[in-house]
Amino acid sequence: MQLLYQTHSPYARKALVFAHEAGLAERIEVIHHETSPTLRNDAVYAQNPLGKVPVLLRSGLPPLFDSDVICAYLDTLHDGRKLIPAEGEARWHVLRLQAIAQALADFGIKVRWETVRRPEALRYPALRDGYARKLIESYDWLERELDDRAPLHVGHIAIATALSWLEFRELPGFRAGRPRLSAWFDAFEQRDSMRATPLSGETHD
């Protein structure tokens, strides 16, 4: 398999960390591609009409895109304990955490657009502040709700990679007043899967 990847994408990193945790990383060739909303990458568009990474290329099969879909597929390829529970409340709990993580990355990107990416004259501070509030509320929710002692699952991977990216981009922080979330994150960052997939680089437009 091949994974179209970007070293500063929280979504791509989530898929690759999942592959490491599932014992599948050696079966995947990672191919870096630069993409942004203002930079068309024809090679990525050829595989994903959204023009975004990650994209998982499979021999003789259609490409898969979106980190949630890629992780769900990878979870079918290994014989170990599944990282996405198949049924019951455990499944909905894990998928709910994954949804929070997706939103953290989405809102962080929106804050960044209104802070440094968009030309200054076009920035909308009220919109930036609204998205930042969503980040803060989500951090508070995670401090209360994250199952930090549970066995590893996709929700943990998604939350850790989103928080790591938010720190990497120096966006509104999650540490102040949230000792449980901070301690869990610091421990998770020491996992081999995270150390093997460091964030790097800037967005090219």
Side-chain angles (χ1 to χ4, degrees):
M1 295 177 286
Q2 294 178 325
L3 184 68
L4 307 190
Y5 190 78
Q6 190 166 277
T7 58
H8 45 89
S9 164
Y11 313 106
R13 189 186 189 197
K14 172 187 153 190
L16 189 54
V17 168
F18 189 101
H20 277 274
E21 294 288 355
L24 299 169
E26 292 185 357
R27 295 174 55 181
I28 298 174
E29 178 187 4
V30 177
I31 303 174
H32 183 82
H33 280 275
E34 286 293 335
T35 67
S36 88
T38 59
L39 175 68
R40 179 180 179 87
N41 183 318
D42 288 333
V44 176
Y45 268 105
Q47 305 296 340
N48 177 5
L50 302 174
K52 298 164 56 177
V53 297
V55 182
L56 186 69
L57 306 183
R58 305 174 295 160
S59 179
L61 294 168
L64 297 178
F65 37 84
D66 185 273
S67 61
D68 292 358
V69 176
I70 292 170
C71 290
Y73 174 73
L74 293 177
D75 212 30
T76 70
L77 301 184
H78 66 95
D79 296 326
R81 184 182 61 82
K82 298 305 181 185
L83 303 181
I84 305 174
E87 59 188 6
E89 280 302 311
R91 178 177 178 81
W92 308 124
H93 169 73
V94 165
L95 294 183
R96 184 171 67 155
L97 285 174
Q98 182 173 235
I100 289 284
Q102 180 87 359
L104 286 175
D106 291 348
F107 295 145
I109 288 170
K110 293 177 189 298
V111 170
R112 193 162 179 260
W113 269 99
E114 300 300 335
T115 305
V116 297
R117 294 287 311 284
R118 199 184 302 278
E120 188 171 2
L122 300 178
R123 295 174 193 168
Y124 186 12
L127 186 59
R128 175 203 63 207
D129 294 346
Y131 286 128
R133 281 194 297 273
K134 293 176 184 291
L135 290 175
I136 299 303
E137 291 288 342
S138 297
Y139 299 157
D140 289 342
W141 187 89
L142 286 168
E143 177 70 11
R144 298 190 306 267
E145 301 291 337
L146 183 66
D147 54 347
D148 53 344
R149 296 172 185 256
L152 178 76
H153 55 63
V154 71
H156 293 139
I157 295 168
I159 294 293
T161 49
L163 293 178
S164 182
W165 179 82
L166 288 159
E167 284 205 322
F168 173 67
R169 290 304 191 201
E170 299 181 334
L171 290 159
F174 62 87
R175 292 183 178 278
R178 302 178 190 91
R180 192 166 74 93
L181 179 61
S182 299
W184 172 84
F185 172 75
D186 287 340
F188 200 98
E189 280 236 297
Q190 299 307 309
R191 295 183 73 89
D192 290 343
S193 61
M194 296 288 280
R195 295 166 71 90
T197 59
L199 293 165
S200 64
E202 292 297 329
T203 303
H204 298 279
D205 292 318

